[in-house]
């Protein structure tokens, strides 16, 4: 059994992927080719936003968003401590200081109840993460941001395709930033990412930053990056968008089924395991299907022996990462994130998981928990 099965997906879309890649090889516009523009139109329509700016990775997407908002040294940006490293890395890379707000223990997303007290005169943006494929509570977060006159950037690297109160992830705040890393719900065959906004001026600036800050050929009003998405990756993503609705439906169905099977398997001992919680107003695309167990190391060893791969997303919260030691944020500062980091473990999850495989995983979980 594989943790994520990308080959089965490739077999399904092979004619379209192969033809589209072949087309790029033939026309030769490997950078900023017609596939890039076509993909941006498809993605903007999908999310319901006016603009989509494709970029080279999810990390570049977040970084370009911060650069477009002119965030730099002396500024603070608020994010969650329980997330992939890039969420805070980009804040530090632009010279600003990450300020953490602990997460809600049910959803692992930034707890809006703790947001207002973290805002200082130096705060320049709020960057909630929509972790594991479920959106943060954007109505509440946007409301607090609005009262403090702050922009909100959604780190939607894991939630592309998810909905919040019927609206698509990436379309929930001033800027949405996602990743097309191969294992993400919409994954390329290499790195990629995209930015979404309604704001014409911001979209223009973000387009310039991804192209070395150039507004016309060899004319640079600002600094930027080599931040473009390759035409070949855009071609792959166009082929994947043909089946994306179907894959999202499969993720939602399989996620719900995992939860039902696990609840039934642990009906006699529900305290032994924590099953994912999805808010009634959300749909979750399960970039990861993540449970909590005690004695995780033993659990993972047993799962491996039973032939079921697992992974930990993420074992060390960002305030305890060595590179952020200078922030002086000691253990105990963000207890929910620290507790989650000790207990979370992700199970195999992808749209091509069979019911029989799911049953095998759940039986193994039951045995491994002991
Ligand atoms: C929450 C989160 N933010 C940012 C990123 C960065 O995306 P990328 O790997 O495409 O740079 C990732 C993905 O790895 C992520 O999971």
């Amino acid at each position: 059994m594989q943790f994520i099965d990308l080959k089965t997906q490739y077999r399904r879309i092979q004619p379209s992927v192969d033809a589209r890649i072949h087309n790029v090889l033939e026309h030769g516009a490997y950078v900023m080719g017609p596939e890039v523009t076509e993909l941006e139109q498809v993605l903007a329509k999908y999310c319901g936003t006016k603009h989509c700016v494709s970029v080279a990775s999810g990390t570049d997407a977040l970084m370009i968003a911060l650069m477009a908002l002119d965030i730099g040294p002396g500024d603070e940006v608020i994010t969650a401590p329980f997330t992939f490293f890039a969420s805070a890395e980009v804040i530090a890379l632009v010279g600003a200081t990450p300020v953490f707000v602990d997460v809600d223990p049910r959803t692992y997303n930034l707890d809006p109840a703790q947001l207002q007290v973290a805002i200082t005169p130096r705060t320049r943006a709020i960057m909630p993460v929509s972790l594991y494929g479920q959106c943060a509570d954007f109505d509440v977060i946007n409301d607090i941001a609005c009262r403090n006159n702050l922009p909100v950037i959604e780190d939607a690297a894991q939630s592309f395709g998810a909905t919040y109160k019927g609206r698509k992830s990436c379309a929930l705040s001033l800027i949405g930033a996602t990743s097309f890393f191969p294992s993400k719900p919409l994954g390329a065959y290499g790195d990629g990412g995209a930015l979404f906004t309604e704001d014409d001026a911001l979209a223009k600036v973000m387009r310039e930053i991804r192209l070395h800050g150039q507004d016309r050929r060899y004319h640079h009003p600002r600094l930027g990056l080599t931040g473009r998405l390759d035409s070949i990756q855009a071609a792959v993503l166009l082929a994947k968008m043909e089946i994306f609705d179907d894959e999202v439906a499969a993720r939602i169905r399989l996620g719900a089924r995992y939860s039902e099977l696990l609840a039934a398997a642990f009906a006699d001992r529900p305290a032994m395991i924590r099953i994912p919680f999805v808010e009634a107003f959300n749909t979750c695309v399960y970039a990861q299907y993540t449970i909590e167990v005690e004695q995780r190391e033993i659990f993972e060893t047993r799962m491996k022996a039973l032939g079921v791969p697992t992974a930990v997303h993420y074992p060390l919260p960002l305030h305890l990462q060595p590179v952020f030691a200078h922030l002086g944020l000691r253990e105990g500062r963000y207890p929910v994130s620290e507790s989650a980091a000790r207990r979370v473990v992700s199970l195999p999850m992808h749209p091509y998981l069979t019911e029989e495989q799911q049953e095998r995983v759940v039986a193994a979980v039951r045995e491994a928990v002991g």
Side-chain angles (χ1 to χ4, degrees):
M1 192 181 313
Q2 293 176 65
F3 191 71
I4 293 178
D5 176 3
L6 293 172
K7 269 195 203 141
T8 303
Q9 183 199 48
Y10 175 55
R11 292 287 167 249
R12 178 175 176 195
I13 51 173
Q14 187 169 4
S16 178
V17 170
D18 290 5
R20 286 176 186 274
I21 290 178
H22 185 76
N23 204 31
V24 177
L25 299 179
E26 285 295 332
H27 69 54
Y30 305 128
V31 174
M32 299 307 285
E35 291 77 10
V36 172
T37 315
E38 188 186 343
L39 177 71
E40 288 177 348
Q41 286 164 357
V42 168
L43 296 181
K45 185 157 179 259
Y46 179 81
C47 289
T49 58
K50 191 166 177 196
H51 302 281
C52 167
V53 181
S54 63
V55 294
S57 68
T59 306
D60 276 5
L62 293 170
M63 176 117 161
I64 291 170
L66 295 173
M67 289 169 78
L69 294 169
D70 269 329
I71 291 170
D75 298 335
E76 293 176 356
V77 177
I78 294 175
T79 192
F82 186 59
T83 172
F84 179 62
F85 181 61
S87 308
E89 182 185 32
V90 291
I91 298 169
L93 277 174
V94 298
T97 303
V99 171
F100 299 108
V101 167
D102 210 352
V103 295
D104 179 324
R106 299 166 316 145
T107 62
Y108 306 109
N109 285 329
L110 190 147
D111 181 0
Q114 301 184 49
L115 180 54
Q116 182 63 55
V117 293
I119 296 172
T120 76
R122 288 169 182 265
T123 309
R124 289 289 317 282
I126 303 167
M127 209 160 72
V129 183
S130 295
L131 203 73
Y132 299 154
Q134 167 168 223
C135 295
D137 196 348
F138 276 91
D139 279 355
V140 183
I141 292 168
N142 283 334
D143 198 47
I144 296 167
C146 185
R147 274 188 267 129
N148 291 275
N149 205 16
L150 291 170
V152 177
I153 303 164
E154 182 188 10
D155 181 343
Q158 302 188 7
S159 58
F160 193 78
T163 58
Y164 170 84
K165 300 185 182 176
R167 283 135 57 204
K168 288 260 166 51
S169 176
C170 291
L172 304 174
S173 61
L174 181 65
I175 303 174
T178 196
S179 162
F180 302 130
F181 184 77
S183 61
K184 298 292 192 235
L186 179 65
Y189 289 159
D191 284 304
L195 288 150
F196 297 82
T197 188
E198 290 296 301
D199 188 303
D200 296 344
L202 263 180
K204 178 175 180 292
V205 172
M206 295 193 298
R207 282 187 196 286
E208 289 174 7
I209 294 173
R210 78 164 168 190
L211 260 178
H212 293 287
Q214 134 178 323
D215 61 350
R216 56 182 193 274
R217 203 166 169 76
Y218 301 137
H219 186 264
H220 304 262
R222 66 182 77 247
L223 298 176
L225 311 164
T226 311
R228 302 157 300 218
L229 181 74
D230 295 344
S231 305
I232 286 185
Q233 298 307 338
V236 169
L237 291 167
L238 279 166
K240 292 206 183 186
M241 279 306 284
E242 292 166 11
I243 55 159
F244 191 61
D245 279 338
D246 186 50
E247 291 192 336
V248 166
R251 284 179 176 278
I252 292 170
R253 180 177 54 78
L254 290 164
R257 187 162 184 273
Y258 251 148
S259 297
E260 278 163 29
L261 292 173
L262 284 166
F266 286 87
D268 57 334
R269 299 159 80 197
M272 299 295 289
I273 184 172
R274 220 197 68 107
I275 295 166
F277 168 83
V278 181
E279 296 275 16
F281 49 72
N282 276 337
T283 60
C284 182
V285 290
Y286 296 100
Q288 315 296 344
Y289 185 91
T290 305
I291 60 171
E292 281 187 35
V293 295
E294 300 295 332
Q295 298 190 298
R296 182 177 61 200
E297 231 172 274
I298 298 172
F299 174 82
E300 284 202 281
T301 308
R302 289 182 181 159
M303 289 293 277
K304 195 172 174 201
L306 292 163
V308 178
T310 56
V312 174
H313 307 94
Y314 298 89
L316 190 62
L318 302 192
H319 65 290
L320 301 179
Q321 292 291 347
V323 71
F324 292 134
H326 65 281
L327 298 176
L329 301 165
R330 302 256 148 78
E331 195 154 355
R333 182 73 177 74
Y334 302 104
V336 178
S337 295
E338 290 166 21
S339 158
R342 277 193 295 273
R343 293 179 173 81
V344 289
V345 59
S346 305
L347 305 178
M349 181 68 194
H350 56 83
Y352 303 94
L353 205 60
T354 64
E355 298 203 340
E356 185 269 330
Q357 283 175 322
Q358 271 197 309
E359 283 150 25
R360 265 182 56 207
V361 173
V362 171
V365 171
R366 175 69 214 207
E367 199 177 325
V369 164

